[in-house]
Amino acid sequence: ERAASIAGRTGDVLCQGRVLEQRGIACALGGDFAGSREQLQEARSLLRPHLKLENLTASGNDKALCAAYIGATSNLGQAEQRLGNLEAALHLKQEALQLAERWDDQLLMARAHAGVGEILGLMQRVPEAISALRTALDLLGRLGATAQEEVVRRQLNTLYTAQPEIHPTLSTPGGS
């Protein structure tokens, strides 16, 4: 609450948005996904008018605002997923992916593909889930993000275990 009060007094939209996002994450960690959704929606509503979506660049304050907005969007998707609203979750994760692609941020793109793949898997849209996860794995491999690669490999293995007839070799990320 103190951070929110300080952020409110500064008038700094980015600071206020980040505080709201962190409050949303804290709610989620405490199991309050409805509260998380509320905080993250507020963060997005606060940040969105300040984004220059028609001319998205990866520099200056635009970079920080875009990263905060993508983070709040992705985390909101996670909250919706935990609330069982898979269509809403998928839409939000896809929005985060589209922004990361427009911004050309490879790590955010990889994370977004992984999030989309996870939700598609929960929706039993296995071929699409595998495609998204393999794209994430390929991006993460190029970035050298081995810890995150391992998480995505586990997600893929879960899908392959459920449908062993579709299991290709996992020796080459992004391969078939």
Side-chain angles (χ1 to χ4, degrees):
E1 291 303 314
R2 187 165 181 240
S5 173
I6 293 169
R9 281 183 278 162
T10 68
D12 184 332
V13 171
L14 177 59
C15 183
Q16 293 169 347
R18 289 278 192 197
V19 168
L20 287 166
E21 182 184 12
Q22 291 304 310
R23 287 170 74 180
I25 291 169
C27 287
L29 290 173
D32 178 10
F33 300 107
S36 177
R37 175 175 53 195
E38 182 180 318
Q39 294 297 311
L40 293 165
Q41 285 173 332
E42 191 174 338
R44 279 174 35 98
S45 294
L46 179 69
L47 294 168
R48 177 128 183 138
H50 301 278
L51 290 177
K52 297 177 185 91
L53 294 176
E54 68 285 344
N55 186 23
L56 201 56
T57 64
S59 62
N61 198 38
D62 288 346
K63 180 178 181 177
L65 277 168
C66 189
Y69 186 80
I70 291 171
T73 299
S74 184
N75 286 324
L76 179 56
Q78 194 69 27
E80 291 292 358
Q81 176 184 334
R82 295 299 295 262
L83 289 167
N85 303 324
L86 296 182
E87 288 292 338
L90 180 60
H91 174 76
L92 289 159
K93 292 289 186 171
Q94 288 171 330
E95 181 183 344
L97 174 58
Q98 290 169 355
L99 287 170
E101 288 174 339
R102 284 183 61 195
W103 193 26
D104 196 30
D105 185 303
Q106 300 291 301
L107 183 57
L108 290 177
M109 287 168 51
R111 289 177 178 167
H113 276 291
V116 167
E118 179 182 7
I119 293 167
L120 288 168
L122 292 171
M123 297 172 86
Q124 303 303 310
R125 293 167 56 179
V126 175
E128 292 170 272
I130 289 171
S131 177
L133 291 170
R134 290 179 72 81
T135 300
L137 194 59
D138 183 50
L139 288 166
L140 292 167
R142 283 189 261 148
L143 294 169
T146 55
Q148 291 177 327
E149 274 184 281
E150 190 54 39
V151 171
V152 173
R153 284 186 190 283
R154 282 195 301 269
Q155 290 175 310
L156 276 168
N157 283 332
T158 298
L159 291 173
Y160 291 142
T161 300
Q163 294 189 5
E165 69 278 3
I166 61 171
H167 190 294
T169 179
L170 288 179
S171 61
T172 56
S176 48

